[in-house]
């Protein structure tokens, strides 16, 4: 079984469980999930209304097919 997850956020969310802040990844690209590692910078030049897939590089998705 495979799963595609869509993230629309392009930056982290600050949370303050105590005295110090932590930055939670909202873009889905962090290699240190659930914490932000700065990888969201890859999403800076995404165009609104377009869908992208991140593997080694960013590619624009034009069609999604699902096996049944
Ligand atoms: S928000 Fe995902 S890496 Fe920063």
């Amino acid at each position: 079984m495979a799963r595609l997850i869509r993230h629309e956020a392009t930056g982290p969310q600050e949370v303050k469980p105590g005295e110090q802040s932590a930055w939670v990844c909202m873009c889905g690209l962090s290699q240190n999930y659930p914490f932000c590692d700065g990888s969201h910078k890859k999403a800076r030049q995404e165009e609104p209304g377009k869908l992208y897939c991140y593997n080694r590089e960013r590619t624009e998705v034009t069609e999604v097919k699902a096996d049944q």
Side-chain angles (χ1 to χ4, degrees), residues 15-32:
V15 294
K16 271 193 153 183
E19 294 288 319
Q20 295 185 341
S21 293
W23 296 90
V24 175
C25 174
M26 301 298 287
C27 76
L29 299 174
S30 177
Q31 297 297 306
N32 190 31

Side-chain angles (χ1 to χ4, degrees), residues 25-58:
C25 174
M26 301 298 287
C27 76
L29 299 174
S30 177
Q31 297 297 306
N32 190 31
Y33 205 80
F35 301 104
C36 174
D37 70 355
S39 294
H40 60 268
K41 294 173 187 164
K42 297 175 191 171
R44 281 186 178 159
Q45 296 177 344
E46 291 179 350
E47 294 182 42
K50 291 190 176 181
L51 182 62
Y52 298 92
C53 179
Y54 287 82
N55 209 341
R56 290 187 186 141
E57 298 178 6
R58 178 177 64 199

Side-chain angles (χ1 to χ4, degrees), residues 4 6 47 49-54 58-66:
L4 290 175
R6 182 177 180 155
E47 294 182 42
K50 291 190 176 181
L51 182 62
Y52 298 92
C53 179
Y54 287 82
R58 178 177 64 199
T59 55
E60 184 180 340
V61 176
T62 55
E63 184 176 350
V64 177
K65 290 183 180 179

